[in-house]
Amino acid sequence: MKIIFNNFISKTNNLDKLLISLIFLFPLLLSLSIFTADLFASISALIVIILFFIKENRKILLKIKYELYYFFAFYLIILISLFFSSSFEKSFLPSFFYFRYFLFVIGIYYLLNKYPFFLKIFFYSLIFT
């Protein structure tokens, strides 16, 4: 385990390390407060956007092509239903930014594909919480 961790430290770029630490802390932050969990999910979503569009990691997006279609169809249904809602002001702004959670899940999928030991790290963070 120590050899794997040392190889991880030396071969991983800083954005991946930051994304791993944010996702590792996410279950704990869900139990502490909603604000910190949403903040970490938003920062993780920004990192995923940077990783996919600046670092040229678009291969993973091709693997989850159908899931992207389903999510965007569901998201479009949510936005259309919000326009016809009676409480538009209360429900629009919180529901408009749901895509950050999808990007958060894409970040977890990216880390699971790139680093096989991330599943064990994520599992331990869930068990600890």
Side-chain angles (χ1 to χ4, degrees), residues 76-109:
L76 185 65
I77 290 170
I78 288 174
L79 291 180
I80 289 171
S81 68
L82 287 174
F83 284 123
F84 297 115
S85 174
S86 61
S87 60
F88 180 76
E89 295 83 21
K90 292 180 185 177
S91 62
F92 183 72
L93 193 59
S95 302
F96 185 71
F97 294 104
Y98 278 165
F99 62 89
R100 72 178 177 261
Y101 296 112
F102 185 69
L103 291 172
F104 181 74
V105 170
I106 290 175
I108 292 173
Y109 183 75

Side-chain angles (χ1 to χ4, degrees), residues 19 43-53 103-104 106-107:
L19 187 61
I43 293 170
S44 299
L46 288 174
I47 291 172
V48 167
I49 290 171
I50 290 169
L51 284 172
F52 286 132
F53 294 112
L103 291 172
F104 181 74
I106 290 175

Side-chain angles (χ1 to χ4, degrees), residues 1-80:
M1 183 72 174
K2 186 175 180 180
I3 296 170
I4 294 172
F5 189 72
N6 288 337
N7 287 337
F8 165 72
I9 295 294
S10 63
K11 294 181 180 178
T12 309
N13 63 7
N14 290 334
L15 283 176
D16 285 349
K17 289 177 191 175
L18 183 61
L19 187 61
I20 287 172
S21 62
L22 290 174
I23 291 174
F24 176 74
L25 291 174
F26 189 75
L28 178 67
L29 294 174
L30 275 175
S31 64
L32 293 177
S33 74
I34 295 172
F35 171 74
T36 55
D38 283 345
L39 179 69
F40 275 47
S42 299
I43 293 170
S44 299
L46 288 174
I47 291 172
V48 167
I49 290 171
I50 290 169
L51 284 172
F52 286 132
F53 294 112
I54 293 178
K55 296 288 186 174
E56 301 290 331
N57 289 323
R58 294 188 184 116
K59 290 183 279 187
I60 292 180
L61 292 178
L62 294 175
K63 290 181 184 177
I64 58 169
K65 178 173 54 172
Y66 295 114
E67 288 84 358
L68 283 170
Y69 293 145
Y70 292 137
F71 172 74
F72 285 123
F74 178 68
Y75 190 62
L76 185 65
I77 290 170
I78 288 174
L79 291 180
I80 289 171

